Amino acid sequence: MQSKSNVSLLTNATVEGIYDGNLAVVAVGDDTKSIRARTIIFATGATERPMLFEDNDRPGTMLASALQTYANRYAVVPASRLIIATNNDSAYDAAIDLAAKGVEVFVVDERSVIAGEVLTRATAAGIGIFADSHIKATHGAPILD
């Protein structure tokens, strides 16, 4: 990456507001800064997005982070068995948290190679993993335990 004297890179920062005249209020760690810029480029970063498959909007289909929030914040699990579809490592944290709550979890991962610590932790948690696989469609109604 090239360094430019007129560019400031703020890592681990969150923009809390954008105001008239390109004024941005930015939280950087425990500090808040007001920055006025000539140009603002919105690079929103990684965001969990739903997997695309037929009927992915069927009741009972939700983001892995939502499942994780229900389990960890509210001590609620939606079912005794569930499938988490993913194409990255972040869903494994949700799967491991749900398995710790007694849910039988299966991960369908589009990647052909799942490496490192995430695979070790998921296997130790008893999670069934289907690599190089994807969800084609959903059918039926949600099953309530």
Side-chain angles (χ1 to χ4, degrees), residues 8-10 13-26 35 37-47:
S8 296
L9 176 63
L10 301 175
T14 302
V15 175
E16 295 179 339
I18 300 287
Y19 302 96
D20 288 341
N22 284 346
L23 176 66
V25 176
V26 182
I35 301 169
R38 184 174 9 170
T39 304
I40 296 176
I41 300 170
F42 291 94
T44 57
T47 302

Side-chain angles (χ1 to χ4, degrees), residues 1 9 35 37 40 69 78 86-87 96 98 107 130 135 141 145:
M1 180 165 111
L9 176 63
I35 301 169
I40 296 176
T69 297
T86 190
N87 59 10
I96 290 164
L98 288 157
V107 173
F130 296 89
I135 304 294
D145 290 339

Side-chain angles (χ1 to χ4, degrees), residues 64 67-68 71-72 76-78 82 84 93-105:
L67 289 167
Q68 188 174 26
N72 294 336
V76 173
V77 293
L82 58 83
I84 296 178
D93 288 332
I96 290 164
D97 287 355
L98 288 157
K101 305 273 188 224
V103 177
E104 184 179 12
V105 182

